[in-house]
Amino acid sequence: MLTKGTTMRWMRKIVIAVSAVVAVVGSFIGSGAAGGTPIAEAADGALSASSTAIAPGGPAFGIWSVIYVGLIAFAVWQFLPRTADRARHDRLAVPATLSLLLNAAWILAVQFGYLWLSEPIIVALLGVLAWAFVVLRRTRPSGRLEAVITDGTFGLYLGWVCVATAANTAAVLTAAGFRGFGLGQDVWGVVVAAVAGLVGVLVAVTGRGRISPTLSLGWGLAWVAVARLDGPLVSVPTAVTAVGATVVVVVVTLVARGRAGWAARPAALRAA
């Protein structure tokens, strides 16, 4: 006989699984594969690679395939007997579900031309992913496989959405007629790329050097650099700043990871 707690746990698992399916279906629609307009072409091209100085090159969005595979794997993983009673997954259930539903909501907002609505949605998505990141940082995975499936997936998700939020904000402001107080695309491109780098540093430090957020954030910034060195919207200062920010985030991540590993060693070994 199922207890109330067990019933609630199973309900959370089912909700996460359904939300994952909704997110994947949304991504399928957003890719244009189901007859819809690809995201880069939706909303009058406001999110294309040449829309703003901080927009990543088109191939950058291929990372979504990795993230979606990870999210489906996470949805399946939570049903396995070895993880059925893990309090860690219970604490992660709400932010994970919200992130999946907000993901689908963002795609729908852009597909229907409500670009302005995409901004509060993606900011909320960034917020719940930060929440999930805190939950994962404060708890330990059951083993390496869970670390890859759960921590790795949500780390990639967070790092990429940091870059996507910056790009989305720039697209919304540009579409609304904002012209940067006359400062020009180079200045704003440098500023936003630098801010994205600072966010990456913050994630690296607070996450004690977790690799996955750095990988996706660095991937996004690298493709910002590529897009600014070629195409209709060239901005060498933005490209240089994006590359520099990536290098800084990688270095800080490695240092933070090294310090976390050192702190975890027995006191006798640290003193040796």
Side-chain angles (χ1 to χ4, degrees), residues 6-263:
T6 302
T7 301
M8 290 298 295
R9 182 173 287 117
W10 274 96
M11 288 180 63
R12 284 195 290 268
K13 294 175 186 294
I14 293 171
V15 168
I16 289 175
V18 172
S19 299
V21 171
V22 170
V24 171
V25 171
S27 71
F28 188 68
I29 295 173
S31 69
T37 304
I39 291 296
E41 300 174 14
D44 297 322
L47 296 169
S48 67
S50 59
S51 59
T52 68
I54 202 65
F61 296 92
I63 196 173
W64 275 119
S65 297
V66 179
I67 294 172
Y68 283 126
V69 168
L71 290 172
I72 291 297
F74 166 74
V76 173
W77 175 260
Q78 63 169 343
F79 283 102
L80 299 182
R82 61 182 299 180
T83 61
D85 297 322
R86 289 198 59 81
R88 187 178 204 239
H89 283 251
D90 290 344
R91 294 176 61 185
L92 187 61
V94 174
T97 301
L98 289 175
S99 74
L100 292 164
L101 295 178
L102 286 167
N103 188 318
W106 182 86
I107 292 173
L108 289 175
V110 174
Q111 282 287 337
F112 284 101
Y114 296 112
L115 187 63
W116 62 271
L117 183 57
S118 71
E119 184 62 14
I121 292 175
I122 201 168
V123 170
L125 174 58
L126 181 60
V128 297
L129 287 174
W131 176 8
F133 187 70
V134 171
V135 170
L136 294 174
R137 188 194 66 184
R138 292 178 176 175
T139 56
R140 295 181 65 84
S142 60
R144 291 187 177 181
L145 186 56
E146 186 191 340
V148 172
I149 292 175
T150 304
D151 300 66
T153 296
F154 282 94
L156 288 176
Y157 201 177
L158 173 62
W160 172 251
V161 171
C162 286
V163 177
T165 300
N168 196 85
T169 301
V172 170
L173 289 174
T174 299
F178 179 66
R179 294 296 176 263
F181 303 114
L183 294 179
Q185 69 173 19
D186 287 347
V187 174
W188 281 106
V190 167
V191 168
V192 176
V195 169
L198 289 174
V199 172
V201 168
L202 177 63
V203 172
V205 172
T206 58
R208 301 185 185 95
R210 299 204 174 198
I211 297 295
S212 53
T214 294
L215 289 177
S216 54
L217 190 143
W219 169 266
L221 287 176
W223 277 104
V224 169
V226 170
R228 297 294 74 78
L229 292 175
D230 187 29
L233 195 59
V234 172
S235 176
V236 174
T238 301
V240 171
T241 304
V243 171
T246 301
V247 171
V248 169
V249 173
V250 170
V251 170
V252 171
T253 299
L254 294 176
V255 171
R257 190 173 184 83
R259 288 183 174 179
W262 177 260

